[in-house]
Amino acid sequence: AQSVTQLGSHVSVSEGALVLLRCNYSSSVPPYLFWYVQYPNQGLQLLLKYTSAATLVKGINGFEAEFKKSETSFHLTKPSAHMSDAAEYFCAVSDPGGNTPLVFGKGTRLSVIA
Amino acid sequence: ETGVTQSPTHLIKTRGQQVTLRCSSQSGHNTVSWYQQALGQGPQFIFQYYREEENGRGNFPPRFSGLQFPNYSSELNVNALELDDSALYLCASSLGGQGGANVLTFGAGSRLTVL
């Protein structure tokens, strides 16, 4: 079965600092991978997705993620954190082809300090 | 285009009761998926409906059931509520009967508290 592990349930960065949220996947073949963001009292919003095309994926709000098969990782980064980035971030996986439901990690709460 | 709307936003039930949660899918979407998000956890897949039929189910007992209507809206029903059913229930719509590669549009959720 596929799964994702998000390292760090809570990450705190200063405004303007690099954001790095870690996600490792478990799958026998390269899967489809997703990052979602959840703001308080809101649903999940897709930031970006990897579907076996370019390994460096750019998303909304200045976020990007790089698929590294050798490390089974799909870490999310943003060069400069803004206060508005404070939220819960979820990594998710589906089978290649996207025919299975998303399996989510437990989430990482990002705090941004002024 | 309208997004995914869910109702009610909050509700409180007691153990043993039954609850119905409702979801209106995004305009143009024909597939609805339901997820349960317990406090401090990621969402877990309950089931998916496509063309009014259940089209995949996660590891949830039969007391979790659903419906999809001709207008693609959906209901999630939970019978014999247990304390562990307390969670945020998320509905997501998509196009084409696939819950993975197709982008899921999520609603804001219905927060259920079971006392």
Side-chain angles (χ1 to χ4, degrees), chain A residues 34 38 43 49 90 98-99 102 105, chain B residues 35 37 42 45 98 100-101 106-107:
Chain A
F34 306 78
Q38 186 176 35
K49 65 178 181 179
F90 294 94
N99 295 313
L102 294 180
Chain B
Y35 287 80
Q37 185 179 11
F45 175 71
Q98 294 180 350
F106 282 85

Side-chain angles (χ1 to χ4, degrees), chain A residues 62-99:
Chain A
F63 284 94
E64 65 181 35
E66 185 172 8
F67 174 75
K68 292 187 177 180
K69 182 179 178 181
S70 62
E71 299 177 7
T72 62
S73 69
F74 190 59
H75 302 331
L76 181 71
T77 61
K78 182 175 181 178
S80 176
H82 294 159
M83 297 296 291
S84 60
D85 294 326
E88 190 88 20
Y89 291 81
F90 294 94
C91 181
V93 63
S94 74
D95 77 329
N99 295 313

Side-chain angles (χ1 to χ4, degrees), chain A residues 32 34 36 38 41-46 49 51 88 90 94-95 97-107, chain B residues 10 35 37 40-45 48 56-57 88 90 98-109 111:
Chain A
Y32 283 6
F34 306 78
Y36 281 83
Q38 186 176 35
N41 301 316
Q42 295 188 26
L44 301 173
Q45 180 183 12
L46 180 71
K49 65 178 181 179
T51 57
E88 190 88 20
F90 294 94
S94 74
D95 77 329
N99 295 313
T100 58
L102 294 180
V103 176
F104 286 86
K106 292 187 175 182
Chain B
H10 295 81
Y35 287 80
Q37 185 179 11
Q41 302 293 318
Q44 279 194 293
F45 175 71
Q48 176 181 282
R57 188 178 185 91
L88 180 68
L90 295 166
Q98 294 180 350
N102 289 320
V103 174
L104 298 181
T105 301
F106 282 85
R111 185 166 296 282

Side-chain angles (χ1 to χ4, degrees), chain A:
Chain A
Q2 295 171 314
S3 66
V4 288
T5 301
Q6 292 185 241
L7 301 176
S9 59
H10 186 202
V11 170
S12 184
V13 301
S14 298
E15 192 174 19
L18 170 72
V19 175
L20 171 60
L21 304 182
R22 301 178 186 273
C23 173
N24 288 91
Y25 69 88
S26 174
S27 176
S28 57
V29 295
Y32 283 6
L33 291 158
F34 306 78
W35 275 101
Y36 281 83
V37 61
Q38 186 176 35
Y39 298 101
N41 301 316
Q42 295 188 26
L44 301 173
Q45 180 183 12
L46 180 71
L47 281 176
L48 49 80
K49 65 178 181 179
Y50 167 77
T51 57
S52 73
T55 56
L56 182 61
V57 181
K58 294 187 183 298
I60 62 172
N61 301 339
F63 284 94
E64 65 181 35
E66 185 172 8
F67 174 75
K68 292 187 177 180
K69 182 179 178 181
S70 62
E71 299 177 7
T72 62
S73 69
F74 190 59
H75 302 331
L76 181 71
T77 61
K78 182 175 181 178
S80 176
H82 294 159
M83 297 296 291
S84 60
D85 294 326
E88 190 88 20
Y89 291 81
F90 294 94
C91 181
V93 63
S94 74
D95 77 329
N99 295 313
T100 58
L102 294 180
V103 176
F104 286 86
K106 292 187 175 182
T108 297
R109 178 177 297 176
L110 176 66
S111 297
V112 181
I113 303 168

Side-chain angles (χ1 to χ4, degrees), chain B:
Chain B
E1 61 182 19
T2 57
V4 176
T5 58
Q6 294 187 240
S7 63
T9 55
H10 295 81
L11 70 167
I12 300 173
K13 294 285 187 178
T14 56
R15 205 167 41 174
Q17 286 189 312
Q18 177 266 344
V19 68
T20 297
L21 308 178
R22 296 178 175 82
C23 172
S24 294
S25 59
Q26 179 170 305
S27 176
H29 285 182
N30 58 12
T31 302
V32 173
S33 303
W34 286 91
Y35 287 80
Q36 180 195 65
Q37 185 179 11
L39 194 63
Q41 302 293 318
Q44 279 194 293
F45 175 71
I46 303 175
F47 44 55
Q48 176 181 282
Y49 277 82
Y50 173 60
R51 294 182 176 176
E52 302 178 52
E53 297 285 336
E54 188 177 289
N55 184 35
R57 188 178 185 91
N59 189 26
F60 281 82
R63 60 189 185 84
F64 285 78
S65 63
L67 286 171
Q68 186 180 33
F69 301 99
N71 66 354
Y72 306 124
S73 66
S74 177
E75 286 182 356
L76 164 65
N77 298 289
V78 186
N79 293 322
L81 285 167
E82 301 177 359
L83 297 179
D84 286 348
D85 296 333
S86 295
L88 180 68
Y89 289 85
L90 295 166
C91 171
S93 71
S94 58
L95 181 62
Q98 294 180 350
N102 289 320
V103 174
L104 298 181
T105 301
F106 282 85
S110 293
R111 185 166 296 282
L112 171 65
T113 301
V114 182
L115 302 176

